[in-house]
Amino acid sequence: MVSLKNITVTKSVYMKIVLPIISNDSYLKPFEPFIKNIINYCDSLIKSQTGASNNLSEAINGYMYYGLHKLSQEWVLREWAPNATEVWLIGDFNQWSKTENYRFSRNNQGDWELKLPIDVLNHKDLYKLIVCWDGGEGERIPAWAFRVVQDSKTLLFSAQVWCPEKQYKFKHTTPPKPAHPLIYEAHVGMSSEEGKVASFNEFRTDVLPKIAKLGYNVIQLMAIQEHPYYGSFGYHVSSFFAASSRFGTPEELKYLIDEAHGLGISVIMDLVHSHAVKNEVEGLGKYDGTDYQFFHDGYRGTHPAWDSRCFDYEKSEVIHFLLSNCKYWLDEYHFDGFRFDGVTSMIYKDHGLSRDFMGYADYYNENLDIYALAYLRAANLLIHQVSPNAITIAEEMSGFPGMASSISYGGLGFDFRLAMGIPDFWIKTIKEVKDENWQVGDLFYRLTDKRADEQVISYVESHDQALVGDQTVIFRLIGAEMYFSMRIDQPNLIVDRGIELHKMIRLITLATSQGGYLNFMGNEFGHPEWIDFPREGNNWSYHYARRQWSLPENPELKFKFLLAFDQAMICGVKNSEIFDFTPTPLVQNNFDQVLVFQRGELLFVFNFNPSKSFENYGIEGLKGSWKIILNTDNSLFGGFNRIDESLEYKVQKIDGLSLLRIYIPARSAFVMKKID
């Protein structure tokens, strides 16, 4: 494979092309060389991986070559370790010691290979490598291991031979790609109400039906790649090709995904290619004795905030490793795409830490890692070649231009960008501004502020906002009253306010989204507690690493109202076409705190005023007749039934104006549909 070093753009065909991303945004013109550099490097990257074919989908097959494979007559195990002087296989089959028959041979590219008779290895055998280098040696789990398990007594990890007699056969076809994902972000391990690590099977039987009933069309699974520390939430990955065994077997994960497909739900994976755990035995740290095999050498090799290792995206072998990882999860497990974690950290040499991005000059400078950007562009090309229905989402907080723009447009090719500023806006608003002072005009602007050439996934809160040390939105609104006043027979003004705003905040965030919507597991019913995984500081308790599904199922508690509203909201939006229309504001009255906007055949009406209701409130710019189809004030959702939902509202001529006149209760919202 060709090195990517010393590539210039002086002869690039792109220098003569006017890219749409630039022609549609004149402020990008001064930074055209940077943008074209990224594209040129990406083309060189593709050439280095594909040779003359230029077809990533055909060329990226590292997982079929590296790792342990059972052939018809023998086993073959291959690993890349260029600095190694010797590599040995140890395991159950040779008493975990170096023996000559288990010694690897090396080729000139730094690849090591071992072939063994077919009867030597058996399903579930444990194994590791001993990698030797000048001046040392160490046990290593193969970088391309497809199955890794942890001993319950010693807590040590080993690779495991995985070749069950019955390979899982998928029964359901992949669902069509949802144009507008309604995403249920979930963590399998903490999905049980019991204080334990839940399994793929338990998630499939117990949680998957709940998600389907709520109406979400995409599940985003966290913590799938193997990680040594459970409390890392899956973000300190050690084995990139191994599904975490703490949740079950590969077949059980495939079964879960297959069942979701049968329900018409796509499943995407939280993919971590932004960094890796520092661990050496069970990770990639000093895999062949060097700091720089997979990662940057020196200060750039360690993430100062995450205490992890940072990939060197300039290395062709590292690119092949990561691209193969993308294709592997699509091919082997039938995942429907990825949410790329930590993209901001990848694309800036300083990881974007403590940096404000106020203008384009803050993006395009020497701090930009063009190699990382080229990798992301190539990854999106590959993913959509392998699976045209795949969904790719960038977790990117700096607002880098073109992140979620198409390849042909001049962007990086992500389908969506997470609107990470929205949860920050809600937290700041709830914490710092009394709701009687909320400015609906500013609120609408903040929720709809995005680049015209990108689609975003809007959300009120994800797992990030639920971690220990932070608070969920419901807890910020209600506080300790959640523990004492959530019974239906306990009137409480604080709880009433919290429940109403919880519904309104979610509805307006979804209703203004220009792409899709995300919710974290349990937040739909106002899960009362933060997330804190077992650790020494909490005496290794699972109390806060679980989901209390019994709360909304208890008819005596108010959690059921929030769950019912979320279901009505998601199902209602999924069956509409609102995302095909831009939100058009009709009323932005900061004094009244009334906001009204239209999307297609739906009208969204919000009154954030905590005490004042409005009779015969006039709305201009509409025609025909309208009917309420969703109302936060409905008693089914914990409201007070202050508005008659059976009425038909007609636009009338009043004093020369065409007005839709409606009653809008205080602190409520409703959705109306045009019926003629």
Side-chain angles (χ1 to χ4, degrees), residues 183-191 197-200 203 207 211 218-227 229-237 239 242-248 253 256-257 266-272 275 329 335 337-342 393 395 418 459 461-468 518-523 531-533 545 547:
I183 303 171
Y184 196 88
E185 183 186 34
H187 185 282
V188 169
M190 59 175 289
S191 65
V197 178
S199 68
F200 291 129
F203 187 93
V207 182
I211 300 172
V218 177
I219 297 173
Q220 178 184 309
L221 288 181
M222 306 175 64
I224 294 299
Q225 296 166 293
E226 190 60 86
H227 46 290
Y229 179 45
Y230 185 50
S232 75
F233 230 141
Y235 291 118
H236 275 193
V237 174
S239 295
S244 181
S245 61
R246 57 172 56 86
F247 307 138
L253 174 56
L256 189 166
I257 295 171
S266 301
V267 184
I268 65 174
M269 187 173 117
D270 208 343
L271 187 73
V272 183
H275 63 136
W329 292 107
F335 273 100
F338 306 100
R339 175 258 203 195
F340 276 70
D341 177 68
I393 303 170
E395 190 225 18
L418 281 182
Y459 61 108
E461 53 189 343
S462 67
H463 70 276
D464 284 326
Q465 286 72 44
L467 291 171
V468 65
L518 178 143
N519 166 68
F520 178 67
M521 177 176 68
N523 286 351
I531 301 166
D532 189 14
F533 285 94
R547 296 284 91 176

Side-chain angles (χ1 to χ4, degrees), residues 19 46 80 123 172 227 242 287 318 360 366 415 465 608 634:
L19 296 167
I46 292 170
W80 174 61
H123 179 52
H172 302 287
H227 46 290
Y287 187 72
V318 173
Y360 285 166
E366 293 305 313
D415 297 303
Q465 286 72 44
F608 283 96
N634 191 304

Side-chain angles (χ1 to χ4, degrees), residues 4 7 14 36-48 54 56 370-371 373-379 381 407 412:
L4 300 182
I7 294 172
Y14 296 105
K36 292 183 175 179
N37 255 329
I38 296 165
I39 298 173
N40 194 47
Y41 282 124
C42 182
D43 284 354
S44 300
L45 183 159
I46 292 170
K47 184 177 180 181
S48 77
N54 218 36
L56 282 170
I370 291 180
Y371 296 105
L373 289 161
Y375 163 67
L376 291 170
R377 198 169 195 266
L381 275 168
I407 297 293
L412 296 187

Side-chain angles (χ1 to χ4, degrees), residues 624-644:
S625 298
W626 299 77
K627 188 173 179 59
I628 294 174
I629 60 171
L630 180 66
N631 175 20
T632 64
D633 198 48
N634 191 304
S635 59
L636 293 173
F637 311 136
F640 302 99
N641 288 332
R642 289 171 292 175
I643 189 168
D644 188 348

Side-chain angles (χ1 to χ4, degrees), residues 28-207:
L28 282 174
K29 183 64 176 176
F31 308 101
E32 186 173 13
F34 276 97
I35 296 170
K36 292 183 175 179
N37 255 329
I38 296 165
I39 298 173
N40 194 47
Y41 282 124
C42 182
D43 284 354
S44 300
L45 183 159
I46 292 170
K47 184 177 180 181
S48 77
Q49 299 293 326
T50 63
S53 74
N54 218 36
N55 189 315
L56 282 170
S57 180
E58 292 181 359
I60 301 300
N61 295 303
Y63 63 91
M64 297 180 184
Y65 178 79
Y66 294 105
L68 179 65
H69 297 278
K70 185 179 183 180
L71 307 181
S72 59
Q73 300 297 323
E74 63 183 359
W75 292 91
V76 60
L77 175 56
R78 300 185 186 96
E79 288 289 322
W80 174 61
N83 187 60
T85 56
E86 290 182 344
V87 179
W88 305 77
L89 180 68
I90 60 173
D92 294 332
F93 37 81
N94 64 359
Q95 291 72 53
W96 297 89
S97 61
K98 294 180 185 178
T99 52
E100 192 62 31
N101 291 342
Y102 296 91
R103 182 175 183 170
F104 286 70
S105 59
R106 174 182 173 140
N107 66 18
N108 294 330
Q109 283 73 48
D111 290 340
W112 294 82
E113 181 181 86
L114 175 65
K115 294 182 178 180
L116 294 169
I118 200 70
D119 60 347
V120 169
L121 301 180
N122 296 293
H123 179 52
K124 293 189 177 182
D125 280 351
L126 302 180
Y127 67 97
K128 293 181 185 178
L129 306 179
I130 293 181
V131 178
C132 306
W133 56 85
D134 289 338
E137 66 175 52
E139 290 187 357
R140 298 289 185 264
I141 290 178
W144 296 80
F146 305 120
R147 171 76 171 167
V148 175
V149 296
Q150 184 178 26
D151 186 278
S152 60
K153 295 181 180 179
T154 66
L155 302 183
L156 298 177
F157 287 84
S158 300
Q160 186 176 48
V161 177
W162 197 257
C163 57
E165 290 185 12
K166 291 184 178 181
Q167 300 290 327
Y168 186 83
K169 294 183 179 180
F170 287 86
K171 304 175 183 64
H172 302 287
T173 57
T174 300
K177 180 178 182 176
H180 304 289
L182 302 170
I183 303 171
Y184 196 88
E185 183 186 34
H187 185 282
V188 169
M190 59 175 289
S191 65
S192 171
E193 187 153 354
E194 299 178 50
K196 65 176 186 179
V197 178
S199 68
F200 291 129
N201 281 342
E202 289 171 314
F203 187 93
R204 174 177 52 80
T205 59
D206 300 339
V207 182

Side-chain angles (χ1 to χ4, degrees), residues 582 608 675:
T582 300
F608 283 96
I675 58 176

Side-chain angles (χ1 to χ4, degrees), residues 254-370:
K254 292 173 184 177
Y255 191 6
L256 189 166
I257 295 171
D258 197 19
E259 286 291 290
H261 287 170
L263 294 168
I265 301 173
S266 301
V267 184
I268 65 174
M269 187 173 117
D270 208 343
L271 187 73
V272 183
H273 282 181
S274 49
H275 63 136
V277 74
K278 293 172 67 174
N279 300 34
E280 296 176 9
V281 175
E282 59 270 349
L284 300 178
K286 294 187 176 179
Y287 187 72
D288 67 353
T290 65
D291 279 327
Y292 51 82
Q293 180 187 355
F294 288 95
F295 311 111
H296 284 289
D297 198 12
Y299 78 95
R300 285 196 63 197
T302 301
H303 198 294
W306 297 345
D307 192 32
S308 55
R309 300 304 312 275
C310 301
F311 286 109
D312 183 351
Y313 304 104
E314 190 175 353
K315 275 192 174 181
S316 188
E317 297 86 353
V318 173
I319 294 297
H320 192 77
F321 179 83
L322 296 174
L323 289 176
S324 293
N325 195 237
C326 294
K327 186 177 179 182
Y328 169 77
W329 292 107
L330 296 172
D331 274 358
E332 184 68 20
Y333 286 90
H334 291 201
F335 273 100
D336 301 297
F338 306 100
R339 175 258 203 195
F340 276 70
D341 177 68
V343 171
T344 304
S345 177
M346 296 172 69
I347 65 177
Y348 301 107
K349 295 174 184 177
D350 66 357
H351 311 294
L353 297 173
S354 302
R355 178 180 289 271
D356 292 325
F357 295 89
M358 306 301 293
Y360 285 166
D362 294 323
Y363 301 117
Y364 299 105
N365 52 55
E366 293 305 313
N367 187 42
L368 196 64
D369 189 336
I370 291 180

